[in-house]
Structure formats: C-alpha cells, structure tokens
Amino acid sequence: MNEKDLRLVMVFNSEIKVNGPGALYLISAKYTNLVRVNLVLLKALLDEKKKKGIMITIDRPHQYVSHLLQLHGIDQNGLVFVDAISSHSSDTKGGSVASEFQRGPFQIETLPDFLSGGNGTSIGAPSDLTEAEFIVLDNVATLLTYNTMESVQAFLSKFVTLVMKNKHGRIVTVLVMDKDIHGPLFEYISGIADMVIELTSDMQVKQMAPGSAKVPAAPEVQAGVEVKDVMRA
Amino acid sequence: MTTNGFPRLYSGIPGLDDMIEGGFPFPSVVLVAGSAGAGKTTFAQKFLFSGAEKGEQGLYISTLSEPAQWMLRYASQFEFAKPEFYGKEVVYYDLGTELRKHAGSEILDLIDAKIAEVMPTRIVIDPITVVGTMLKDDYRIFAFDLTTRLKNWQAVTLLTGEVRPGEMYPAEISYAVDGVILLMLSDEGDARRKYIEVLKMRGTNHLTGKQSVDITRKDGVIVLKARF
C-alpha cells in the first residue's frame, strides 16, 4: 500500500461508524481502482477497527481477495467469505480461509435469505449474521451482468431491510462501485444509503456534487474530506 | 471510457483505440503477436507508460532473464519512457530466472504474488512464448490457468508472443485470451512495411483488416490511418 492508500484507510476508519446503528455506505471509485479500494476498506475494518464481517464476492472468486489480504498482512480471522461466483469459475487458485458458497449470482434475490438462515440455494452452512459487524460486496455493480436492474433493486431493498432488522441492528454495509459506469444503480443506492463517499481516480476523497433532492444542503467537511449524508428513503 | 456499460482501458497506442471502440475491455488478456522487430515490446511499453501518465499502476514481467538495465536502456530511446516512472508506476519483475527453477503451478503462484503486491491496472508479460518453450507439455494448461487468474486480478494484461516462420500467431495461447493483435512485417518491393491487425477482441466491434503502422521515438507504435 502506498501513502495515498494509507491516508484513505484513515479516512474510512474515521468516517465509517461500526459501533452505532446499522448503516449503508456507498463508495464511488474509478473501475480500475475497485480492487484497491476494497483492500483499503478491509484494512480499515479488520485491522484498524478490529471488526468481524462478511465479504460477498461476485466479481471474482474469494481466493483472490484472500490472497491480497494475506500478502498485505491484513488479518482475516474476523472475515467470512460468501462466494457467489466460484461455481461459475474454472479456477485452480487455492484458498484456505473461511468461506461459504452460493450456487451463483443469477438468483440474487435469494441471497438475503441465504444470509439470514439459509435456503435451497446454499451449498454450505449459512453465514451467522449475529456475529457480523459489517458486510462488504465485491462488487455490487457486477450483479447487473446477471440480473435485471429491477431485481438488483429488489435485492438491495430486501438486503438493507434484513441487515437493519437483524437482532443486533448494528451491521454496517459498504458497497463500492463506479458511478460513471453504472449511473442509474448509483442513483438508486444513493437514495437508500446513509452516506456516500466519492473518490478521485488517484484515490483521494473529492467533493461530492449532490445530485439528489434527499441530500442535506450543507455536506459535512472534515480535514479535507467531504462526504455527503443521504437521508434514508 | 465505457461502451454500453462495458469498461475499457485506453491503450496508449495512437490510432488503435479508434479500432477497438475506445480501448481494451477491462479486465482482459490480450495477445500481441508478431515476428522479431515488429514492435511488440515497444507496443507493450507504451501501453504501460501511457497508464503511468494517468497515475495507473503498471507491472512489466520479463521472461527473458534480461537484466533490467538492458530493458531500461532500450526503452530510454523513446520519449514516452520517462525515468521517473520506473520502480513506481512501472515496476519491473524478472521472471526469467524463476522459469528455470519452477514448475508451471509454481510460476503461476509467483506471478500471483507479484500482482498482489503491486496491484497493477496494466500488466505486460514479455514474451509469453518463452514460457511455452520452458514448460513444453504443461504449457496449454498453464496458459489457461494464467489467463483465468490474470482476469480475476482486475487488470488488462498484454502478453507478447513471438511468431515462428509460417505461423500467424502462437496457437497455444491464442485460444485462451480475450484479444489477439497482430503486428506484421511485409516485404513490398525494396521496402519492409509494418502493419497492425486486430484479429480478435471479445465484446468489441473492432475494425478488421490490416492498418499501416510506424514506430517513432516520440510515440512508439502509431497506427497511421489515425492521421487521416
């Protein structure tokens, strides 16, 4: 990790509140930086905050994320992977971390049920949401490759409801995507997110241009970091 | 840059992006094949340095056991190869010495480890055909596993491939890649002209047919048609 990455770790560490009530954070980054942003995010959540969580991998088999974390010295003991893509990948890359599998990313509307207690689509035991303090998706826009916009929206709505209503009610969900590529999805998630953080192509937090009527008039500014609070729809 | 929601990465080769709907699909693995002197390494280096200009991380994996200073010395003849990028935005990794010591699966792990360390957006493996010579019977499986892993690392990778006499492109690797670009030399009277042809580019409505190219100190490989 370079200096910019480490600065971003500190931004995520201070801006993403895991101890409070459940919340949805949306981060927009250039598509070429999505892997790096996820790494930085997981470093903040696992190493800095020492939190436990779930990472749902849709864009690549979980072994790649795990390998990246391992190589960068990030402790994975608190992380469980839910892998929704491995069954569609003839990948030989090995992995030895805690992981569970979904049959595929096509019936994404079943994922909330899978997380909350399992259903017919799960291969392994369902994840235990009572242990999780955060959930990260890698990455949410990939769902559009396999599902219609309507079903992705339905999934997100159900997912957020599930996460907010779990018995502890304190799970933080972080979604990372490129708003320039998937504008309509970004707008939809902005509408249900508690906070939106937009990054520049060189991994710095940039001023957010409010595009939604739900956005408060004055964005919060802290130490050169500007974030936008979005009212829950 | 996107086409119908499909992300693309600017190639850095003047004129080429117009032929492939704005750039290489991201992520993807593209074979750049040609005979000796056709411009493969220049093409690949320009791809990396163009990314470096935009702050994108690049990784150059050499399979030749060639000391880095030789690659740097030749590359320095091009204006685009700015020394300040070496070791930072353009990281050099010599895989050649490892190829002599390890099996295919171990080579994959070495490449994985370097990619996970550097986290590049742009990767070059130059030339991939040397690996085929080393691995022999295991090469076809290696090629498949390599391309699968490279795509999952979320980067655009250029594999350069040496073409044998009478061969159009290295067949062992071409089936596994997302794109094939040919760089050709052609004897025409007293002149030897250079051409480029996009033979395959998945998800892309690419221009077909040979286009003239030139190699200049300023820009490296240039597709001449782009000038008109």
Side-chain angles (χ1 to χ4, degrees):
Chain A
M1 283 192 182
N2 59 31
E3 281 182 26
K4 284 178 187 170
D5 296 338
L6 294 173
R7 276 201 297 272
L8 196 55
V9 170
M10 302 320 293
V11 169
F12 288 159
N13 190 31
S14 66
E15 296 301 328
I16 298 175
K17 315 292 184 196
V18 183
N19 291 326
L24 174 61
Y25 290 79
L26 175 61
I27 300 171
S28 177
K30 191 179 176 191
Y31 60 90
T32 52
N33 289 337
L34 295 182
V35 171
R36 186 177 284 268
V37 171
N38 275 323
L39 179 71
V40 167
L41 178 63
L42 289 171
K43 182 171 177 61
L45 294 169
L46 293 168
D47 269 8
E48 299 296 326
K49 291 183 180 292
K50 310 287 185 196
K51 297 300 178 186
K52 291 181 178 178
I54 296 170
M55 182 166 210
I56 302 167
T57 57
I58 303 157
D59 211 8
R60 64 191 63 78
H62 74 279
Q63 297 96 315
Y64 290 84
V65 183
S66 173
H67 189 159
L68 204 55
L69 294 173
Q70 184 185 353
L71 208 109
H72 289 268
I74 299 169
D75 186 2
Q76 300 176 58
N77 283 330
L79 189 63
V80 172
F81 289 96
V82 174
D83 193 325
I85 197 66
S86 271
S87 61
H88 290 273
S89 170
S90 54
D91 208 312
T92 60
K93 189 169 175 58
S96 57
V97 292
S99 55
E100 298 162 2
F101 296 88
Q102 246 218 334
R103 291 200 192 281
F106 299 96
Q107 293 85 33
I108 199 63
E109 65 276 8
T110 64
L111 188 58
D113 294 333
F114 173 81
L115 288 169
S116 63
N119 59 25
T121 65
S122 66
I123 293 171
S127 302
D128 186 359
L129 273 185
T130 60
E131 288 290 313
E133 294 166 288
F134 70 84
I135 297 179
V136 174
L137 265 77
D138 176 29
N139 77 64
V140 64
T142 307
L143 292 173
L144 290 171
T145 305
Y146 309 101
N147 302 275
T148 63
M149 182 69 177
E150 291 72 27
S151 57
V152 171
Q153 288 179 352
F155 155 70
L156 287 168
S157 174
K158 191 175 179 183
F159 180 74
V160 169
T161 303
L162 165 75
V163 168
M164 297 304 169
K165 287 183 177 174
N166 86 87
K167 68 180 184 182
H168 294 288
R170 56 178 175 76
I171 297 181
V172 162
T173 302
V174 188
L175 305 177
V176 182
M177 64 178 297
D178 185 341
K179 66 173 263 193
D180 291 333
I181 293 184
H182 298 288
L185 183 62
F186 177 83
E187 289 305 318
Y188 173 78
I189 301 175
S190 292
I192 60 171
D194 294 278
M195 181 179 281
V196 178
I197 303 173
E198 190 179 354
L199 305 179
T200 62
S201 60
D202 62 347
M203 300 283 284
Q204 303 197 52
V205 179
K206 80 170 187 181
Q207 186 171 340
M208 182 78 184
S212 165
K214 300 164 191 151
V215 181
E220 182 184 355
V221 179
Q222 290 178 0
V225 175
E226 187 161 352
V227 293
K228 182 184 79 167
D229 283 314
V230 182
M231 302 291 282
R232 184 165 297 283
Chain B
M1 175 71 200
T2 62
T3 310
N4 297 328
F6 205 67
R8 293 185 181 274
L9 198 67
Y10 161 69
S11 73
I13 308 299
L16 177 60
D17 292 336
D18 293 337
M19 298 168 62
I20 53 174
E21 293 196 294
F24 296 122
F26 182 90
S28 63
V29 180
V30 176
L31 174 67
V32 180
S35 57
K40 300 184 296 296
T41 298
T42 304
F43 184 109
Q45 289 178 341
K46 181 67 191 308
F47 165 74
L48 288 184
F49 281 98
S50 297
E53 291 280 1
K54 292 171 174 283
E56 292 169 359
Q57 184 65 55
L59 173 62
Y60 183 97
I61 300 174
S62 170
T63 59
L64 287 177
S65 300
E66 183 180 61
Q69 79 260 26
W70 286 105
M71 192 277 285
L72 304 183
R73 188 172 294 182
Y74 288 121
S76 69
Q77 298 302 303
F78 294 103
E79 291 179 25
F80 62 78
K82 296 177 181 171
E84 61 264 33
F85 290 138
Y86 282 116
K88 294 174 184 167
E89 286 85 357
V90 178
V91 171
Y92 183 92
Y93 176 52
D94 175 20
L95 189 67
T97 50
E98 306 296 340
L99 282 175
R100 300 167 197 275
K101 296 186 283 191
H102 299 283
S105 61
E106 294 167 329
I107 298 293
L108 287 174
D109 290 341
L110 287 170
I111 292 172
D112 265 349
K114 196 66 188 177
I115 293 172
E117 176 195 334
V118 175
M119 285 194 288
T121 301
R122 296 170 183 246
I123 303 169
V124 166
I125 302 181
D126 181 34
I128 191 64
T129 34
V130 167
V131 182
T133 308
M134 299 274 189
L135 296 181
K136 296 190 173 67
D137 293 345
D138 294 336
Y139 183 53
R140 206 170 169 85
I141 295 169
F142 171 86
F144 178 79
D145 288 345
L146 174 70
T147 52
T148 301
R149 291 196 188 189
L150 287 169
K151 278 180 266 192
N152 277 320
W153 281 118
Q154 294 287 291
V156 171
T157 303
L158 297 190
L159 308 174
T160 67
E162 195 77 15
V163 172
R164 300 186 197 102
E167 187 182 60
M168 195 174 186
Y169 50 81
E172 302 92 336
I173 190 82
S174 60
Y175 83 102
V177 296
D178 302 300
V180 177
I181 292 177
L182 304 181
L183 293 172
M184 293 163 280
L185 292 171
S186 174
D187 286 330
E188 296 176 9
D190 293 334
R192 190 179 290 272
R193 298 190 187 282
K194 291 185 169 71
Y195 293 96
I196 190 170
E197 181 174 4
V198 180
L199 208 62
K200 165 186 175 183
M201 195 64 66
R202 291 173 72 185
T204 305
N205 184 17
H206 63 84
L207 194 66
T208 54
K210 294 194 294 185
Q211 311 293 323
S212 294
V213 296
D214 195 7
I215 298 180
T216 70
R217 288 195 187 281
K218 181 173 180 289
D219 290 317
V221 177
I222 301 172
V223 182
L224 293 176
K225 191 176 179 182
R227 290 179 176 174
F228 302 103

